[in-house]
Structure formats: structure tokens, C-alpha cells
């Protein structure tokens, strides 16, 4: 995440067309618009082009129903697939995130949205989506690894998570234009990249070996702490010349912990960590588990992967 702006950007959101004159009237620098199966909420290609031509940023949030976020993994996956297709049809560049609305007070149990966001992440990744909602669900999902958040003042009790890129601080602001009044919500963007479709630096080259998909934090397993990403990187380094000096001995030691890491990933996919009960279906798609298991397996066999 880039450094916070010294002065936040100001923008507006609305579940309907926002005339360009409304942005100019209150000096709005960006628009937050909706993706949805209810097409009346969705911007037209013309509005998107209008915003881009005027130099006004655009980011998007998906919302069909306020309660979608508690309807589980399949709902999250289906919503993410639909939202991604709709956003691409409007010209969203690759690598831009989509926010998903939790438009109710999730404070009593923000974890009730976990399966929904896991479903969305199975399509978009943690780097490609995040919540809109009050502080409870925003902080909870950021703590789980999602990299984007749009917080609303509603249900936030005056608190703000400093990691949230966007903050909706007022609803129902009326902009008087000639012949009409447009009602919008008011927002700040605290970072230069808040998920907008243009006006940001190009993303860095993709990690060619997929190292960023491996867990970086130390992982406890059977009385040991496993540094999964470090183990993979070290193995690949020594595997370049497996018979050079002490490399063979080092590879043997690394494979022991790589085997432990592989078994840990398998256990996570097959068992509920809180209850210890076996899952009805393995959850391979979370956190690249299936891919990581295959990559770890190849290295425990002694294969040259990179």
C-alpha cells in the first residue's frame, strides 16, 4: 500500500447516473458507482467515457441486495464472476479492484461475511476485492488479508480504520443544478490509489515464480514455526546447483520442512481449524492452497521447479 495522502481527495457516490455538472458544482475528484444485476444502478459506457475525458476518477462497488454478504461462498463467487464480467464490459482495466457491499450493521458478527468474501476472492484474489461497510466488517476483512476497503460512517461509531482507502462520511447531500436536484453521498480517498480505473501508475511486473502466493508470516505446525515462502525461495536457490559443495545437505534439510509445510496446507484444506472436524468438501481454493500444495509437493520430491 502506498503512503497516505497529506490531503484526501474528495468524491461522490450514487446508485444512479451522476451528471458531470454535479461533479463540477462541488469540485468532486472521483465517482464511486455501482455494479449490479439491477441495471438501473450501473453506469453506462457513455458515463464512464465522460468521467475519463473530464479527468474524474472512477471506482466501483457491487451490490444487489444488502444481505448478499451473509449468503456464503457460492454467492460470493457468483457475485464476483458477474461483477468482473460487467466491469470488463464497461472498460475496467486489468488489475483494478471491485468493492462488495455489506450494507447493514455487521458489528455483532463480522465473521458471518467470511465465506462470501472467500468466494469473491476465489475469482478476484485478496488483491482484487474488499468490503464496503462499517468499521467492524472493514477491519475484520482487512485483517484476513483483503487489500481494499471502503468504510462508511454508518455503523462505525465515529471510528475509522486507517487502512481503508475510502471513507463515506455523509449520505444524502443535495446538489442543485439547473432544473434538477441530484442527491449523492460524500467520500474521501486517503490514498493515491483507491481502486480507480485510470490515473494510477502501472502495476509492477507479476511475480514470475509466484513466491508472493506462499505464506510469508511464520506458520505454527506440530511444535515448529514454518516460514513457507522463505523455504521455497531457499530451496530454489540451492536447487540450481544441487551437487555443489554443501548444497545437497542443505536441500535435504529444506525438504524436511517443505514436507511439513505441504502437510499443513493439506490439513487446512481438509479440516476446520477451530473445531478439528473434517470438512465435507476440501477448501483448496482459499489462499492458493491447491496451487501451493502442488508446488510444495514438487519440491519435496526434489524437482527443479524454477
Amino acid at each position: 500500500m502506498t503512503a497516505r495522502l497529506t490531503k484526501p481527495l474528495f468524491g461522490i457516490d450514487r446508485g444512479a447516473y451522476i451528471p458531470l455538472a454535479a461533479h463540477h458544482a462541488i469540485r468532486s475528484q472521483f465517482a464511486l458507482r455501482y455494479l449490479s444485476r439491477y441495471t438501473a444502478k450501473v453506469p453506462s459506457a457513455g458515463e464512464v467515457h465522460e468521467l475519463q475525458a473530464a479527468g474524474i476518477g472512477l471506482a466501483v462497488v457491487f451490490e444487489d441486495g444488502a444481505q448478499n454478504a451473509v449468503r456464503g461462498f457460492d454467492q460470493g463467487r457468483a457475485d464476483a464472476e458477474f461483477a468482473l464480467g460487467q466491469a470488463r464490459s464497461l472498460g475496467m482495466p486489468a488489475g483494478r479492484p471491485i468493492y462488495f457491499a455489506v450494507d447493514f450493521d455487521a458489528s455483532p458478527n463480522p465473521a458471518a461475511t467470511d465465506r462470501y468474501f472467500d468466494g469473491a476472492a476465489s475469482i478476484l484474489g485478496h488483491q482484487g476485492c474488499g468490503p464496503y461497510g462499517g468499521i467492524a466488517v472493514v477491519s475484520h476483512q482487512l485483517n484476513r488479508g483483503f487489500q481494499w476497503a471502503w468504510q462508511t460512517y454508518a455503523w462505525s461509531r465515529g471510528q475509522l480504520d486507517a487502512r481503508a482507502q475510502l471513507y463515506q462520511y455523509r449520505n444524502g447531500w443535495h446538489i442543485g443544478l439547473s432544473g434538477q436536484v441530484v442527491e449523492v453521498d460524500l467520500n474521501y480517498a486517503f490514498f493515491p490509489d483507491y481502486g480507480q480505473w485510470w490515473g494510477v501508475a502501472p502495476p509492477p511486473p507479476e511475480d514470475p515464480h509466484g513466491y508472493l502466493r506462499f505464506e510469508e508470516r511464520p506458520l505454527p505446525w506440530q511444535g515448529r514455526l514454518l516460514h513457507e515462502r522463505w523455504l521455497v525461495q531457499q530451496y530454489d536457490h540451492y536447487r540450481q546447483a544441487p551437487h555443489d559443495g554443501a548444497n545437497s545437505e542443505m536441500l535435504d534439510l529444506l525438504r524436511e520442512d517443505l514436507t511439513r509445510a505441504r502437510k499443513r496446507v493439506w490439513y487446512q484444506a481438509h479440516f476446520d481449524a477451530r473445531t478439528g472436524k473434517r470438512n465435507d468438501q476440501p477448501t483448496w481454493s482459499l489462499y492458493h492452497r491447491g496451487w501451493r500444495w502442488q508446488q510444495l509437493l514438487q519440491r519435496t520430491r526434489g524437482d527443479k521447479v524454477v
Side-chain angles (χ1 to χ4, degrees):
M1 183 180 288
T2 55
R4 286 173 69 91
L5 295 165
T6 54
K7 181 181 180 181
L9 303 174
F10 168 68
I12 54 182
D13 76 271
R14 189 182 189 217
Y17 172 65
I18 305 175
L20 199 58
H23 289 285
H24 293 325
I26 58 174
R27 299 184 180 180
S28 164
Q29 296 165 283
F30 62 88
L32 299 167
R33 294 288 279 110
Y34 284 78
L35 304 172
S36 179
R37 296 180 180 88
Y38 302 98
T39 56
K41 299 175 72 170
V42 181
S44 66
E47 182 181 354
V48 172
H49 295 152
E50 186 177 70
L51 290 168
Q52 186 170 17
I56 294 172
L58 170 66
V60 292
V61 59
F62 176 86
E63 182 175 17
D64 270 0
Q67 297 294 317
N68 273 28
V70 292
R71 291 176 178 159
F73 184 94
D74 290 343
Q75 183 72 59
R77 183 179 181 87
D79 285 354
E81 286 179 334
F82 180 88
L84 180 60
Q86 191 171 68
R88 283 175 172 170
S89 74
L90 292 170
M92 183 181 77
R96 296 286 75 201
I98 298 173
Y99 297 95
F100 288 82
V102 183
D103 209 357
F104 62 92
D105 187 3
S107 302
N109 185 20
T113 66
D114 287 356
R115 293 294 291 155
Y116 179 85
F117 280 99
D118 290 342
S122 72
I123 300 298
L124 298 169
H126 288 74
Q127 76 285 353
C129 61
Y132 160 90
I135 191 168
V137 71
V138 160
S139 296
H140 178 73
Q141 296 302 340
L142 286 171
N143 290 342
R144 297 182 69 235
F146 288 88
Q147 297 180 21
W148 300 90
W150 174 13
Q151 186 180 332
T152 177
Y153 74 98
W155 317 302
S156 290
R157 302 177 299 281
Q159 301 175 61
L160 176 62
D161 192 308
R163 298 168 293 175
Q165 286 88 357
L166 292 163
Y167 181 57
Q168 182 188 72
Y169 67 90
R170 182 164 181 171
N171 296 129
W173 183 265
H174 292 90
I175 305 172
L177 305 175
S178 57
Q180 69 176 130
V181 175
V182 177
E183 183 176 313
V184 299
D185 301 332
L186 308 182
N187 299 266
Y188 285 131
F190 294 116
F191 295 86
D193 186 356
Y194 51 89
Q196 69 269 39
W197 289 11
W198 46 77
V200 292
E206 186 177 352
D207 176 24
H209 307 311
Y211 289 137
L212 296 180
R213 297 185 181 184
F214 294 98
E215 287 276 11
E216 182 178 30
R217 59 191 173 90
L219 304 171
W221 181 248
Q222 296 181 340
R224 295 175 66 91
L225 285 178
L226 304 174
H227 295 76
E228 187 181 277
R229 188 184 300 178
W230 180 87
L231 287 168
V232 170
Q233 291 172 320
Q234 289 297 302
Y235 174 88
D236 290 348
H237 170 74
Y238 287 107
R239 186 61 180 79
Q240 299 302 316
H243 305 300
D244 183 12
N247 284 13
S248 178
E249 182 178 349
M250 179 61 73
L251 286 168
D252 288 340
L253 292 172
L254 289 167
R255 280 200 298 271
E256 289 181 12
D257 274 348
L258 285 166
T259 299
R260 294 185 178 96
R262 174 172 57 86
K263 290 180 177 179
R264 185 183 186 279
V265 172
W266 186 93
Y267 180 87
Q268 283 186 304
H270 286 81
F271 290 86
D272 187 311
R274 291 170 296 180
T275 65
K277 294 181 179 179
R278 187 159 188 148
N279 299 325
D280 294 334
Q281 295 291 332
T283 53
W284 284 116
S285 60
L286 295 180
Y287 316 115
H288 313 289
R289 280 179 188 157
W291 181 87
R292 285 161 53 209
W293 187 88
Q294 292 287 346
Q295 292 284 313
L296 293 166
L297 176 63
Q298 291 179 62
R299 289 172 172 88
T300 58
R301 289 174 172 171
D303 296 346
K304 186 175 182 180
V305 180
V306 174

